[in-house]
Amino acid sequence: MNDLIKYTHRRFNPLTGEWILVAPGRLKRPWQGKVERLPAPVRPRYDPSCYLCPGNTRANGNKNPNYSSTFVFDNDFSSLSHDSPEVRIDERGIIRAEAEQGICRVICFSPRHDLTLAEMDETDIGRVILVWKQEYEQLGHLDDVNHVQIFENKGELMGCSNPHPHCQVWAESAIPVEPSKEAFRFEKVRAESGKCILCEYLAFELGQKDRILTQNEHFVALVPFWASWPFETMILPTRHLQNIAQLNAAAMSAFASILKELTVRYDNLFEVSFPYSSGIHQSPTDGRPHEEWHFHMHFYPPLLRSASVRKFMVGYEMLANPQRDLTPEDAADRLRSVPSIHYLQEG
Ligand code: H2U
Ligand code: ZN
């Protein structure tokens, strides 16, 4: 293994069935990753012009309550709705389309305009996780909802439209493309061997430790062996759980704690509020038990070398498959080597 990974090689992503190309030799050019600390952006605790701050009026004229913890509302510009008619077309098996039903919501993490997950305390992060759990359960129970996607776009680089820390929930009748790749793989491996991809993977990683960033009694955070983004990570429960609704109080606190540590390490890497898209992949809500699923949270950050140098997934990545030069092992080393106290909160 150690020999193989010194040279250009391909790695298999068992969750999607796809491959990535790893070219460690390209990293022989000097690393200039250390950047000067930029002055911390001045972010007010409350911004009178923010659509998401407590008491403010949103873009469509609705007024937010004076909320003091989390705040959930139906997205004013929702892509999905419950009232699209159930119609489909299928011409020659090639020209296919179907109506899609569902609902989109926005979850503000806290009234504070200036606090991302990395800067929130674990108790408040725990409140966000509780809302994720409630939304997964409530929306998942709706007749026309078979899948609930919870995700966060963080930072302008990821196209986030509002700096007030928040995430979104899109609940719909179809299983979207990325989770359905995983669903297919979980089912296939279980049917063939009776095993769970992530239980097997976790057992391997806990033996190796090369890519593990941190762990507690209930969760592990790691750089997956098959990561395609430079600092891509994953949080996964140590037990074979299908979804976040199955977490007990101790596991929820452990989830909050590992989320805090991972997001702090991210911010500390380039001393910047680290952009990413993250999201939870968990069992569909179609009424079946889906014992094959092992829920997990993905983090896909775009940054490569500094607060301003990003990785572009273009050219070869768009037309062939993802490729990387920083190895997942080196990425894990770098994330492990930064402090676990947030750079703006130290001292
Ligand atoms: P981002 O997570 O990509 O920043 O999107 C924020 C969502 O918030 C976006 O889907 C919604 C947008 O439609 N939104 C409202 O519903 N009301 C508003 O007043 C502002 C933003
Ligand atoms: Zn705000």
Side-chain angles (χ1 to χ4, degrees), residues 27-34 231 270 304-305 326 334:
L27 258 194
K28 289 191 183 117
R29 56 188 191 270
W31 177 265
Q32 295 183 313
K34 178 65 189 150
F231 293 99
F270 299 129
L304 172 60
R305 275 171 190 273
L326 173 73
R334 290 178 53 87

Side-chain angles (χ1 to χ4, degrees), residues 265-303:
R265 287 184 181 277
Y266 268 157
D267 279 13
N268 285 349
L269 190 63
F270 299 129
E271 294 188 343
V272 67
S273 183
F274 204 70
Y276 57 70
S277 277
S278 68
I280 302 171
H281 279 160
Q282 47 190 332
S283 51
T285 55
D286 54 6
R288 294 194 290 127
H290 286 291
E291 271 150 23
E292 71 282 5
W293 265 87
H294 191 133
F295 96 78
H296 52 278
M297 185 163 184
H298 292 284
F299 286 81
Y300 301 130
L303 293 181

Side-chain angles (χ1 to χ4, degrees), residues 45-47 50-54 56 67 111-113 162-164:
R45 294 162 68 104
Y46 165 77
D47 176 353
C50 168
Y51 290 130
L52 304 183
C53 272
N56 290 3
Y67 64 96
R112 292 280 297 267
H113 186 81
N162 188 304
H164 192 114

